[in-house]
Amino acid sequence: MKRFKIIVLLLGIALLPIRGFAQDTDTELPNIKILATGGTIAGSAASATSGSYSAGQIGIQTMINAVPGIKKIADVSGEQVSNVGSQDMTVEIWLKLANRINELLASDDVDGIVVTHGTDTQEETAYFLSLVVKSDKPVVTTGSMRSSTSISAEGPLNLYNAVAIAADENAKGKGVMLSLNDQIHNARDVSKMNTTNVNSFASPIKGMLGGVFYGRLGFFREPNTKFGKTSEFSVTGITKLPRVDIIYAYTDMSPDLIDMHVKAGAEGIVIAGVGNGNMTEATLKAAKKAYEDHGVIIVRSTRVATGWVLRDNEFKDDDYHTVVSGDLNPAKARILLMLSLSKGKKLTEMQQLFDTY
Ligand code: ASP
């Protein structure tokens, strides 16, 4: 009996390192899924010093392989959802992406998601996802301004940082985040502010959510609007969204633009207004008529890069049946209006939604 005990003890000691090794690889690293959609991060050019390139050329596995050390911070695996320049992003791809993210995050095997995406419309996809992803687990979108074949391509470091954020316990419950250039932004608050610079994104009103430096990260503040699990919006059972158009306002703007969009089938229109969401008096009257005659909801946003659009500023919004976007930029106001209309929301409920999300 004594000999048997000694043999079991020796066997246990001999097996310890094997069990320890298995734990290191299988259970300690968080499981992060990278969903690739295209963009410049997946783009390539004929020359490393040319600014001309084609977006959405290389696949997710090539992108992962280009990031040194990524496998040390997370157990990563990739899926190709689409491979487009984000100027060609569609509602159809949004729905596919959102459904897949919800499916993955519902599993105990996935701890966080990274979405690689072109920068042109990344803030739109991120905001859309923030309203319809039903999980507290981190979702981080990233991309790059330089193509994968460019001199000093920043895509691999952006992807490394995005994976580090998605794998971080402190990133839970912060909604969808957008990270490029060592910055962490709240999906709702961020805008692309520069057409070519690697420092292209900013949250001009509320500031960054946090920062990340070679995978080390910290958060400075919390998001202060509704998103994620507490959002009333979802993609369940949705196959398309109502048409909402954006009209850019300018000096001597003609009111027939509103009529043209209504005729084309828009159920809602966002005006990228001048200043505090303004437009010519004639356009305002056309907006009022669009609602009275066709039930088309008009949201006043602004073409100005930063600042709120406030209700009842130079006229009474109730007199023209207009809704104000607050600090949501026109592209994001369009998304909120599309989702609200898809839920059958009425004008009477609309301002409350814009004040909440
Ligand atoms: N046009 C590209 C895109 O949005 C630009 C980029 O990714 O930086 O896909």
Side-chain angles (χ1 to χ4, degrees):
M1 191 60 190
K2 205 172 164 194
R3 252 175 70 197
F4 176 73
K5 272 188 187 161
I6 289 168
I7 288 169
V8 168
L9 194 73
L10 286 176
L11 213 66
I13 290 168
L15 286 175
L16 258 181
I18 297 170
R19 283 185 41 231
F21 179 74
Q23 272 172 0
D24 278 346
T25 52
D26 292 346
T27 56
E28 280 181 13
L29 287 181
N31 286 319
I32 305 299
K33 264 273 183 227
I34 306 176
L35 303 183
T37 69
T40 298
I41 192 168
S44 66
S47 146
T49 51
S50 162
S52 312
Y53 64 94
S54 305
Q57 297 297 306
I58 64 166
I60 179 59
Q61 203 47 51
T62 312
M63 273 163 60
I64 293 173
N65 292 345
V67 187
I70 200 168
K71 300 215 164 105
K72 289 194 186 134
I73 57 170
D75 205 341
V76 290
S77 57
E79 270 180 40
Q80 197 78 43
V81 175
S82 64
N83 213 352
V84 295
S86 73
Q87 57 272 36
D88 286 321
M89 186 48 58
T90 61
V91 168
E92 197 183 333
I93 302 174
W94 277 354
L95 294 173
K96 183 177 168 192
L97 187 60
N99 280 315
R100 184 65 183 135
I101 291 175
N102 278 327
E103 186 182 18
L104 287 167
L105 291 184
S107 156
D108 289 342
D109 296 338
V110 179
D111 298 303
I113 301 277
V114 169
V115 177
T116 60
H117 196 292
T119 59
D120 290 353
T121 62
Q122 190 170 145
E123 71 209 60
E124 293 178 51
T125 300
Y127 181 56
F128 174 76
L129 293 176
S130 78
L131 296 176
V132 298
V133 165
K134 302 292 172 194
S135 173
D136 277 342
K137 295 178 187 171
V139 177
V140 187
T141 70
T142 192
S144 72
M145 296 298 288
R146 295 178 183 147
S147 77
S148 70
T149 51
S150 160
I151 185 169
S152 295
E154 89 283 25
L157 181 54
N158 286 345
L159 185 53
Y160 182 87
N161 280 337
V163 168
I165 300 163
D168 196 295
E169 273 293 312
N170 294 320
K172 279 188 184 159
K174 295 218 165 19
V176 176
M177 291 158 276
L178 180 153
S179 176
L180 269 91
N181 200 37
D182 296 356
Q183 301 167 357
I184 310 173
H185 294 275
N186 179 16
R188 184 191 182 279
D189 304 328
V190 66
S191 292
K192 187 172 184 179
M193 304 292 273
N194 190 290
T195 53
T196 55
N197 202 291
V198 289
N199 187 22
S200 59
F201 285 89
S203 299
I205 297 182
K206 296 182 189 161
M208 295 192 302
L209 207 57
V212 54
F213 185 71
Y214 293 94
R216 292 164 63 190
L217 58 126
F219 289 96
F220 315 145
R221 67 174 182 90
E222 295 291 325
N224 69 342
T225 50
K226 234 177 174 184
F227 59 85
K229 269 161 87 173
T230 60
S231 157
E232 63 205 89
F233 303 109
S234 101
V235 284
T236 311
I238 290 189
T239 53
K240 59 187 182 103
L241 291 172
R243 176 169 173 167
V244 172
D245 292 341
I246 299 172
I247 306 178
Y248 193 92
Y250 47 86
T251 300
D252 213 12
M253 177 187 194
S254 170
D256 60 13
L257 287 175
I258 299 253
D259 309 330
M260 279 154 55
H261 284 268
V262 171
K263 216 177 255 168
E267 294 178 42
I269 297 173
V270 176
I271 309 284
V274 293
N276 196 342
N278 287 316
M279 63 203 87
T280 55
E281 176 70 26
T283 310
L284 205 48
K285 284 185 179 147
K288 177 178 168 116
K289 207 164 164 341
Y291 177 73
E292 288 174 354
D293 295 354
H294 305 279
V296 174
I297 294 186
I298 312 283
V299 173
R300 297 196 297 116
S301 182
T302 180
R303 68 180 199 176
V304 181
T306 174
W308 276 268
V309 173
L310 299 167
R311 228 180 140 71
D312 301 338
N313 188 53
E314 295 191 35
F315 57 88
K316 288 252 170 282
D317 279 282
D318 280 347
D319 293 346
Y320 294 90
H321 319 296
T322 43
V323 177
V324 295
S325 73
D327 62 337
L328 267 190
N329 72 24
K332 291 182 191 173
R334 171 178 175 261
I335 291 165
L336 182 53
L337 188 51
M338 285 195 293
L339 283 171
S340 303
L341 289 169
S342 80
K343 284 211 84 178
K345 297 287 184 185
K346 302 282 173 258
L347 177 64
T348 46
E349 304 161 273
M350 232 22 118
Q351 191 59 65
Q352 168 72 19
L353 293 167
F354 274 82
D355 295 343
T356 309
Y357 293 94

